[in-house]
Amino acid sequence: MIQRELGKRILLLLVVLSLLLYLSSLATSEINYSFVCMWPKTQWYFNHPSGVAVDSLGNVYVADTENHRIQKFTSTGDLIVKWGTRGIGNGEFSYPHSIAIDSQGNVYVAEVNSRIQKFTSSGRFITKWGPGPGNTDSFAPSGIAIDSHGNVYVANLNQHIIQKFTSSGDFITSWGGRGKGDGNFVFPRGIAVDSQDNVYVVDDLNRRIQKFTSSGTFITKWGNFGTGNGEFIVPRDIAIDTQGDVYVSDQQNNCIQKFNSTGTFITRWGSMGLEDGQFNHPQDITVDHRGIVYVADSLNNRIQKFSPTGDFIAKWGSQYIGDGQFKHPISITVDSYNNAYVADTGNHRIQKFTSTGTFISKWGKQGTGDGEFNSPHGMVIDSRGNIYVTDTGNHRIQKFTSSGAFIAKWGSLGAGDGEFRFPRGIAIDPQGNIYVSDKENHRIQKFTSSGVFISKWGREGTEDGQLKFPNGIAIDSQGNVYVADYANHRIQKFTASGIFITKWGSERRGDEKSKYSHGYSFGVPVDTRVILSPDGQIKYPESIAVDAHGNVYVSDTPNNRIQKFTSSGKFITKWGSQGDGAGEFNHPQGLVVDSTGNVYVTDTDNNRIQKFALSK
């Protein structure tokens, strides 16, 4: 009887435990965050575009070189399709840098993998080929062009020759060889074919253009070293319009020059710079059937579009520098109207947006004056809408109105009270006091809203209350202070006066067996192993935020995810993974929660902001 009763109790206990575990897992699984929006809204930005070509319909194809992909656009810059990732398989690329289109709309791409790949206009792989006979040791395709019969001409950079193939890659002939004589080359780069199937070659280090018949017979040449009209320093690519006029991009002179078919100079345009019509290392160039000229403005990460005489028409790409674009955004905060303010760190400015990402205003530039910045990082807004910014490289705090008008500043380089060494995070308590994570002094400092020093706590170490390069900081409605203890891989919680309350995180490493490399952040070595830490454990936390319910959000940066905890550090949920799609991250840093519980994240190395909401 006793054994039967004991058995019933054990069975009941097991049932209760199972039910509790089920309800716990169910509650956790129901707490998810969904992607809402991102800005900039288009995420097709370029990374050193080197090749550009236009098909018969006016669509523009770009070899997005350091993103290892091809992108296709309308003539006005609207993205149609993209394909390719880094690799050596069919349809994969290693630094694609030249592109050509045949009369059927097929796309030919030259890449560092020592091959030509052929695709349909939508990016479906057709075939590939490498070197022709006698050149198996070094095939370095640079320029690529196609004649009226569909034959493919390739400038083989390392062999200093031109090679001719059928459209399926069968070798036909070659000509050239290293030298300065007619028909010889020193690193041939760009190549183009006119309506008569004459072949024009950019003879890079000979600083000239050479013209041949389709079989390689020399016709003429022009150009020499210099900065004047008809002279070149680093000519890179060449294009021919329907009238037979020739356009040449000169990378070092940052200009485009136009000639007739015999080499007589017609005009030129461009100079070094970021403005419309200026260039930074222009590379590929192409002309459509209307005579419109497209230039791959490589180091400005954009395509520029011109009339046949060089009048600027349009541009697209332009990553980093435009209104609403970012260069390594680090932190974000929101005001009582849910307007979002972003520390656009690489551009040394603050940008203001609506909650859906519509650009409102901006202020700041690089410098040391009032209202100027050197790598701004943390931001916080007080009840009056004033904005406080950690001007990290200038070792100070600056205070502004909501429209960016300068109010005050405090701090300088040092270790004394009110001095800083690379201040990073900043937060405000219910009484309006300002807390700053003084990163390389390994401490937290507390000030009045006007910058008068109140107190400090922390020193370098791993014990409770000690810090190692503290980064993000946040304060809950009770005045408790949460610190992203960066190099200790943990979150610490303190009272408003700095008394230690609790901690969590402390990434476990003993069970990780992957290879890893090291990076640096303000001189701090960073372990960049790719294996994810377990739930609730953190690797180099950058930023921290607290919502109206006291829940704590942490940017678990190298793990490319956001983690959510209770105020005591109990894990609730997580989201995010490595990538550039919606809901994916590449080094997320800043985050903030608005009054309705939406979470905004600075997706730093993807140069964008992402917004998330709790799934219903």
Side-chain angles (χ1 to χ4, degrees):
M1 191 73 175
I2 296 175
Q3 289 180 341
R4 183 182 300 174
E5 186 65 28
L6 181 61
K8 287 181 178 179
R9 290 181 179 181
I10 292 173
L11 180 60
L12 179 61
L13 180 61
L14 289 173
V15 170
V16 171
L17 287 173
S18 298
L19 181 61
L20 288 173
L21 288 171
Y22 170 75
L23 291 174
S24 176
S25 64
L26 184 61
T28 301
S29 66
E30 288 178 345
I31 301 174
N32 293 312
Y33 280 79
S34 300
F35 171 81
V36 176
C37 66
M38 69 174 74
W39 66 87
K41 291 182 172 62
T42 52
Q43 292 299 308
W44 46 257
Y45 292 122
F46 305 120
N47 192 352
H48 294 183
S50 297
V52 62
V54 181
D55 66 19
S56 59
L57 301 175
N59 298 310
V60 182
Y61 298 74
V62 179
D64 189 8
T65 302
E66 294 199 16
N67 282 325
H68 310 284
R69 64 186 178 186
I70 304 301
Q71 299 196 64
K72 179 182 177 180
F73 302 88
T74 66
S75 61
T76 56
D78 295 320
L79 180 67
I80 298 173
V81 69
K82 60 184 177 182
W83 70 89
T85 57
R86 187 168 190 177
I88 60 174
N90 295 339
E92 297 177 332
F93 301 106
S94 178
Y95 302 100
H97 50 262
S98 189
I99 192 167
I101 315 291
D102 67 19
S103 60
Q104 306 301 310
N106 296 310
V107 183
Y108 300 76
V109 181
E111 55 168 324
V112 173
N113 278 332
S114 298
R115 64 184 182 181
I116 306 297
Q117 291 196 74
K118 181 179 177 180
F119 302 88
T120 65
S121 60
S122 59
R124 181 175 58 82
F125 175 80
I126 298 175
T127 190
K128 63 185 177 184
W129 71 88
N135 297 290
T136 56
D137 59 336
S138 181
F139 184 58
S142 180
I144 186 170
I146 300 170
D147 68 18
S148 61
H149 303 287
N151 297 311
V152 181
Y153 299 78
V154 178
N156 189 336
L157 189 70
N158 288 350
Q159 290 291 309
H160 312 282
I161 61 174
I162 303 303
Q163 290 177 281
K164 182 178 178 181
F165 302 88
T166 67
S167 61
S168 58
D170 296 322
F171 177 77
I172 299 174
T173 189
S174 65
W175 69 87
R178 187 181 179 102
K180 296 184 177 181
D182 296 345
N184 295 128
F185 308 103
V186 180
F187 298 117
R189 295 276 186 178
I191 188 169
V193 179
D194 66 18
S195 59
Q196 306 301 311
D197 286 344
N198 295 309
V199 181
Y200 299 72
V201 180
V202 175
D203 188 7
D204 187 350
L205 290 191
N206 283 325
R207 277 86 179 190
R208 65 185 180 183
I209 305 301
Q210 293 197 70
K211 181 179 177 180
F212 302 88
T213 66
S214 61
S215 59
T217 302
F218 174 80
I219 298 175
T220 190
K221 64 184 177 184
W222 70 88
N224 52 60
F225 181 80
T227 60
N229 295 337
E231 297 177 329
F232 308 107
I233 296 181
V234 183
R236 293 308 297 262
D237 196 40
I238 190 167
I240 302 169
D241 65 21
T242 55
Q243 306 302 311
D245 292 326
V246 180
Y247 302 77
V248 180
S249 62
D250 188 342
Q251 177 178 296
Q252 201 64 33
N253 278 323
N254 288 293
C255 72
I256 305 300
Q257 295 195 64
K258 181 179 179 180
F259 305 87
N260 68 18
S261 61
T262 60
T264 301
F265 175 82
I266 298 175
T267 190
R268 67 185 288 169
W269 69 89
S271 61
M272 175 69 178
L274 295 171
E275 301 302 318
D276 296 344
Q278 295 182 323
F279 303 106
N280 190 354
H281 282 64
Q283 296 208 43
D284 235 17
I285 184 170
T286 193
V287 185
D288 69 16
H289 64 280
R290 300 167 298 166
I292 302 300
V293 181
Y294 298 82
V295 181
D297 187 9
S298 180
L299 295 188
N300 280 330
N301 292 299
R302 65 185 180 184
I303 301 299
Q304 293 199 69
K305 182 177 176 181
F306 301 90
S307 72
T309 56
D311 297 319
F312 174 81
I313 298 175
K315 65 185 175 186
W316 66 89
S318 306
Q319 187 177 11
Y320 308 143
I321 61 176
D323 293 345
Q325 297 176 341
F326 306 108
K327 185 176 183 180
H328 301 301
I330 294 293
S331 69
I332 186 168
T333 191
V334 293
D335 63 20
S336 58
Y337 301 100
N338 286 337
N339 295 310
Y341 300 76
V342 179
D344 187 10
T345 303
N347 283 321
H348 309 282
R349 66 185 180 183
I350 306 301
Q351 294 196 69
K352 180 179 179 180
F353 302 86
T354 67
S355 61
T356 57
T358 301
F359 173 80
I360 298 175
S361 65
K362 64 184 177 184
W363 71 88
K365 62 178 182 177
Q366 187 168 18
T368 59
D370 296 345
E372 297 177 336
F373 302 106
N374 184 358
S375 300
H377 274 72
M379 289 187 300
V380 72
I381 299 177
D382 67 19
S383 60
R384 297 183 178 181
N386 298 313
I387 301 169
Y388 302 77
V389 182
T390 56
D391 187 7
T392 300
N394 284 325
H395 311 283
R396 66 184 182 182
I397 308 301
Q398 293 198 70
K399 181 179 179 180
F400 302 89
T401 67
S402 60
S403 59
F406 175 80
I407 298 175
K409 64 184 177 184
W410 71 88
S412 59
L413 178 63
D417 295 345
E419 296 178 331
F420 304 105
R421 288 188 184 275
F422 300 104
R424 296 294 290 266
I426 188 168
I428 190 167
D429 68 17
Q431 288 71 47
N433 297 310
I434 304 297
Y435 299 71
V436 180
S437 60
D438 188 6
K439 186 169 186 178
E440 295 203 3
N441 282 324
H442 311 284
R443 65 185 182 181
I444 305 301
Q445 294 197 68
K446 180 178 178 180
F447 302 88
T448 67
S449 60
S450 58
V452 177
F453 175 80
I454 298 174
S455 64
K456 63 185 176 184
W457 72 86
R459 60 187 177 88
E460 185 173 10
T462 60
E463 301 300 319
D464 294 347
Q466 295 179 341
L467 302 165
K468 196 170 184 181
F469 302 106
N471 206 334
I473 186 170
I475 299 174
D476 65 22
S477 60
Q478 306 303 309
N480 297 308
V481 182
Y482 301 78
V483 179
D485 190 5
Y486 179 76
N488 281 326
H489 311 283
R490 66 186 180 184
I491 304 303
Q492 292 200 70
K493 180 179 178 180
F494 302 88
T495 66
S497 58
I499 297 173
F500 174 80
I501 299 174
T502 190
K503 65 184 177 183
W504 69 88
S506 302
E507 180 208 16
R508 184 174 70 242
R509 299 188 175 197
D511 58 351
E512 293 185 321
K513 299 178 181 179
S514 65
K515 294 181 180 180
Y516 62 93
S517 58
H518 292 280
Y520 288 86
S521 176
F522 280 101
V524 183
V526 177
D527 179 350
T528 58
R529 281 178 285 191
V530 297
I531 285 184
L532 287 175
S533 302
D535 294 346
Q537 294 188 345
I538 305 164
K539 186 182 292 186
Y540 297 107
E542 289 275 3
S543 188
I544 190 168
V546 181
D547 67 20
H549 304 289
N551 297 309
V552 181
Y553 302 74
V554 178
S555 57
D556 188 5
T557 301
N559 285 319
N560 290 296
R561 66 185 181 184
I562 305 302
Q563 293 200 69
K564 181 179 178 180
F565 302 88
T566 65
S567 59
S568 60
K570 181 181 177 182
F571 174 80
I572 298 174
T573 192
K574 65 183 178 183
W575 71 93
S577 60
Q578 170 75 43
D580 61 4
E584 297 176 332
F585 301 112
N586 188 0
H587 207 77
Q589 293 202 48
L591 74 163
V592 70
V593 185
D594 69 18
S595 58
T596 58
N598 296 308
V599 181
Y600 301 76
V601 181
T602 60
D603 189 5
T604 300
D605 285 355
N606 280 328
N607 296 296
R608 66 186 182 184
I609 307 301
Q610 293 197 69
K611 180 180 178 181
F612 301 88
L614 190 62
S615 299
K616 296 180 180 179

